[in-house]
Amino acid sequence: MNDDQLLRYSRHILLDDIGIEGQQRMLGAHVLIIGAGGLGSPAALYLAASGVGHITLVDDDDVDLTNLQRQIMHTSVSVGYPKVASGKAALLALNPAIEVTALCERATGTRLMELVAASDVVLDCSDNFATRHAVNRACVAARVPLVAGAAIRFDGQLSVFDRRNPDSPCYACLFPENAAFEDVACSTMGVFAPVVGVIGALQAAEALKLIAGVGQPLTGKLMLFDGRASEWTSIGVARDPGCSVCGQAV
Ligand SMILES: [Zn+2]
């Protein structure tokens, strides 16, 4: 690290759990963020500020005026432009020394597999079950840890799925692929802006913990946030041996 980096990251380096070594790990890490919206915005901003050396943003959407109430990586001048371009500009303004790859696409299949396999941690900041399941399948296959977040109305949820740990469930152990979960979109249900901030910031925290080896990852627990009461509920989640995605993986 050069003098600028030692200053920029000094408040991380001062933490015994992180120090120079942990910060170096962040600088050398590659995080893939699927979705550059309400969850992806705070997550990406914190990861960029923290010095994650390479961030890849994937989103095929453009910034819309209705996004600005909560998608804090984008500003009024970004309306009409691709979210990943707006996001890349915001992240590099915050930390010009990192590398940001902006992919304006809906990554699926082999493409998604390649992106996941090239990453140290994946953040699912998407808003639909088809994407969540595709990202989970790729993470299980490539054994790359997945930090999954979701938020709607006043409710948020967060968990970590890490198939490097044989006891860890995958996303499909909790939400089976064949179950009829209905996608509820912010566009119809509404979402309380700070709830995506709370969940997105914690996704960044879990990613940094995994990268730097700090504390206990949230593996095996689903955290539910009730934004009206400002209350958290923690639910233990176990592997499903009959899971269609990870059942035969170990
Ligand atoms: Zn599973």
Side-chain angles (χ1 to χ4, degrees):
M1 265 186 269
N2 59 36
D3 288 351
D4 273 0
Q5 288 174 310
L6 288 169
L7 282 174
R8 182 183 279 267
Y9 306 120
S10 58
R11 270 43 169 194
H12 265 169
I13 294 167
L14 281 168
L15 295 169
D16 290 340
D17 286 354
I18 297 180
I20 296 264
E21 197 186 327
Q23 188 61 50
Q24 294 277 21
R25 286 196 200 130
M26 293 179 199
L27 291 166
H30 182 187
V31 175
L32 175 66
I33 302 179
I34 306 291
L39 298 169
S41 285
L45 287 167
Y46 272 114
L47 293 176
S50 296
V52 167
H54 187 182
I55 295 171
T56 295
L57 294 173
V58 183
D59 198 311
D60 66 346
D61 208 4
D62 292 339
V63 179
D64 183 83
L65 184 59
T66 60
N67 299 152
L68 300 183
Q69 163 253 17
R70 66 198 176 283
Q71 302 186 13
I72 59 170
M73 189 161 61
H74 312 301
T75 63
S76 299
V77 295
S78 309
V79 171
Y81 291 96
K83 285 186 181 178
V84 291
S86 163
K88 179 177 179 174
L91 300 185
L92 290 178
L94 180 56
N95 193 344
I98 63 169
E99 186 183 344
V100 180
T101 304
L103 303 175
C104 190
E105 60 185 70
R106 185 169 283 254
T108 55
T110 314
R111 169 71 167 157
L112 180 59
M113 267 304 304
E114 287 168 1
L115 290 171
V116 167
S119 310
D120 297 303
V121 180
V122 175
L123 267 60
D124 181 0
C125 300
S126 71
D127 62 356
N128 64 85
F129 279 109
T131 302
R132 289 178 191 286
H133 282 301
V135 171
N136 177 58
R137 274 191 177 271
C139 287
V140 169
R143 293 185 169 267
V144 172
L146 168 63
V147 183
I152 193 75
R153 290 175 289 215
F154 287 86
D155 301 317
Q157 66 182 45
L158 173 77
S159 191
V160 173
F161 305 100
D162 189 349
R163 292 299 299 137
R164 297 172 305 175
N165 171 352
D167 297 326
S168 168
C170 82
Y171 183 80
C173 292
L174 243 76
F175 303 101
E177 288 187 322
N178 55 3
F181 291 109
E182 219 175 304
D183 276 321
V184 281
C186 296
S187 52
T188 50
M189 304 305 291
V191 60
F192 187 46
V195 171
V196 292
V198 168
I199 301 297
L202 280 171
Q203 285 184 270
E206 289 301 316
L208 293 174
K209 284 165 58 187
L210 287 164
I211 290 163
V214 172
Q216 302 297 317
L218 204 50
T219 317
K221 276 187 210 161
L222 176 68
M223 299 295 294
L224 302 172
F225 181 63
D226 173 350
R228 281 197 194 84
S230 292
E231 275 179 3
W232 287 94
T233 307
S234 172
I235 299 173
V237 287
R239 267 198 79 202
D240 174 5
C243 173
S244 61
V245 177
C246 74
Q248 290 86 36
V250 172

